């Protein structure tokens, strides 16, 4: 019997506000607040639940991170050792068009747009051009954990010091906003910016213009990942507590908390079919939910490659891409397949 179908749904109008301290560029102090050990993905079972759905492209040396570029229709794949990036067109995924070596071990990716990929390495953000292989470096404090290219053309980079650096189009740092413990994920929609802090299991509004932090809300007991859909709903996974959550509005409010078993981790949204996708590593599944009713309704579920820690969704076709962190390849799922 499906655990998700049996579980009850908890819908709330708001959640408890997390006490965080807001600071500006000259502070850099970590707030004195209760913290938890940042949650990591639940280990996938050794015994598979069945053959992975869709197409699986062998990539034994990949598994570090995954990104998708709509304008060039290609994916970027980080090697398992974090030392190189492969660019692969979605029409011919089996062969990379370009491989770019990195100056240091990367921890992940930011936005991949207009053929340029943001790569996070210690003390710097790299912008890698997929067409030429050229790399532009911006030196930054701390270890970058997240990055996002905003609709205003700025790049926001979150680090392990709880700071958000605002980087202009020229690569220069315009300002730094402090006050979080860590900035593990960033998302932006029409100028509204939200940061996820795994150490506080919280989501926090960020006022870029005012150099300050806004409302902060708990996101379960062990939040890990964040995305935003075209309606402006910020969607998070609580891996430790087993929940899928949504936040929206200004100020931010919690719209629902939905129980999801087996360690929800990667999260994405299909703007074409209006489906939220959540990958659960504890059972090697990925599940699609409709959110039109205000609470998630499961519509599809597929078996994934083992340890699918990374997921991206093509917003135009709805195709779901999942990358195995243990070398089992890149999986491609058509959302309309049975």
């Amino acid at each position: 019997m499906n655990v998700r179908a049996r579980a009850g749904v908890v819908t709330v109008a708001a959640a408890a506000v997390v006490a965080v301290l807001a600071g500006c560029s000259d502070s850099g102090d970590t707030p004195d607040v209760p913290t938890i050990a940042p949650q990591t993905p639940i280990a996938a079972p050794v015994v598979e639940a069945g053959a992975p759905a869709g197409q699986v492209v062998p990539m034994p040396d990949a598994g570090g991170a995954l990104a998708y570029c709509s304008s060039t229709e290609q994916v970027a794949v980080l090697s398992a050792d974090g030392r190189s990036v492969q660019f692969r067109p979605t029409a011919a995924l089996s062969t990379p068009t370009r491989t770019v070596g990195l100056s240091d071990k990367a921890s992940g990716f930011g936005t991949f747009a207009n053929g340029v990929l943001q790569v996070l390495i210690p003390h710097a953000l790299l912008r890698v051009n997929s067409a030429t292989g050229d790399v532009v470096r911006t030196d930054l404090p701390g270890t970058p954990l997240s990055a996002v290219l905003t609709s205003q053309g700025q790049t926001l980079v979150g680090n392990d010091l709880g700071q958000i650096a605002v980087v202009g189009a020229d690569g220069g740092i315009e300002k730094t906003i402090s006050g979080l413990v860590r900035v593990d994920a960033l998302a932006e929609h029409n100028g509204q910016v939200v940061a996820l802090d795994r150490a506080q299991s919280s989501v926090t509004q960020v006022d870029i213009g005012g150099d300050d932090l806004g409302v902060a809300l708990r996101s379960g007991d062990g939040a890990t990942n964040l995305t935003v859909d075209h309606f402006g709903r910020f969607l998070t996974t609580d891996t430790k507590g087993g929940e899928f959550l949504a936040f929206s509005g200004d100020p931010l409010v919690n719209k629902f908390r939905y129980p999801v078993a087996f360690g929800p981790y990667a999260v994405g949204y299909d703007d074409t079919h209006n489906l939220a996708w959540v990958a659960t590593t504890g059972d090697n599944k990925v599940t699609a939910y409709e959110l039109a009713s205000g609470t998630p309704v499961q519509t599809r579920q597929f078996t994934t490659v083992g340890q699918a820690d990374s997921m991206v969704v093509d917003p135009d076709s709805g195709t779901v891409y999942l990358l195995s962190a243990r070398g089992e390849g890149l999986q491609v799922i058509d959302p309309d397949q049975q």
Side-chain angles (χ1 to χ4, degrees):
M1 182 173 292
N2 192 306
V3 175
R4 296 170 186 82
R6 293 175 55 211
V9 179
V10 179
T11 306
V12 295
V17 176
V18 178
V20 297
L21 305 179
C24 294
S25 60
D26 58 351
S27 170
D29 295 331
T30 300
D32 183 13
V33 295
T35 61
I36 61 172
Q39 183 69 34
T40 56
I42 290 178
V46 176
V47 179
E48 301 296 337
Q55 175 192 9
V56 177
V57 181
M59 293 187 192
D61 298 326
L66 182 66
Y68 177 78
C69 179
S70 295
S71 60
T72 60
E73 296 186 341
Q74 60 181 331
V75 295
V77 181
L78 182 63
S79 62
D81 65 4
R83 294 287 181 170
S84 65
V85 178
Q86 291 185 357
F87 296 99
R88 295 175 179 250
T90 57
L93 285 168
S94 59
T95 304
T97 55
R98 184 176 299 278
T99 300
V100 179
L102 303 174
S103 58
D104 207 336
K105 182 178 180 179
S107 59
F109 295 152
T111 301
F112 188 15
N114 302 314
V116 177
L117 173 70
Q118 298 172 345
V119 181
L120 311 172
I121 67 170
H123 311 295
L125 175 74
L126 305 180
R127 286 179 287 185
V128 182
N129 190 307
S130 63
T132 65
D134 293 341
V135 178
V136 177
R137 176 186 176 112
T138 297
D139 291 322
L140 295 164
T143 298
L145 302 175
S146 57
V148 66
L149 177 65
T150 72
S151 54
Q152 286 73 40
Q154 296 171 311
T155 294
L156 309 180
V157 185
N159 67 17
D160 62 339
L161 304 175
Q163 302 167 333
I164 299 170
V166 181
V167 181
D170 62 355
I173 300 176
E174 298 178 353
K175 66 180 83 173
T176 302
I177 302 171
S178 304
L180 295 169
V181 178
R182 298 160 53 97
V183 185
D184 295 279
L186 287 161
E188 184 263 354
H189 180 264
N190 290 342
Q192 184 176 17
V193 176
V194 170
L196 184 145
D197 182 340
R198 292 185 181 181
Q200 296 188 80
S201 192
S202 66
V203 288
T204 302
Q205 282 186 256
V206 184
D207 181 358
I208 301 300
D211 305 350
D212 206 352
L213 302 181
V215 170
L217 302 174
R218 283 291 300 273
S219 183
D221 299 321
T224 49
N225 285 304
L226 167 72
T227 193
V228 64
D229 65 18
H230 61 116
F231 297 110
R233 294 177 297 207
F234 294 87
L235 309 174
T236 71
T237 47
D238 171 13
T239 302
K240 182 179 181 180
E243 289 185 316
F244 172 40
L245 302 92
F247 303 84
S248 65
D250 186 7
L252 209 61
V253 296
N254 183 201
K255 305 301 289 187
F256 65 73
R257 297 176 63 177
Y258 183 81
V260 175
F262 302 108
Y265 190 71
V267 59
Y269 195 83
D270 170 6
D271 291 328
T272 299
H273 299 84
N274 284 319
L275 293 174
W277 289 88
V278 178
T280 47
T281 57
D283 63 349
N284 292 330
K285 300 288 187 182
V286 65
T287 305
Y289 299 95
E290 290 182 347
L291 307 180
S293 67
T295 55
V297 176
Q298 179 179 321
T299 63
R300 300 163 176 81
Q301 187 177 75
F302 302 103
T303 299
T304 69
V305 287
Q307 203 65 52
D309 291 354
S310 302
M311 175 172 64
V312 292
V313 181
D314 179 347
D316 299 317
S317 69
T319 302
V320 179
Y321 299 89
L322 299 120
L323 182 64
S324 169
R326 64 186 190 194
E328 295 181 14
L330 176 67
Q331 181 177 8
V332 186
I333 297 176
D334 180 343
D336 294 322
Q337 74 183 66
Q338 299 299 316

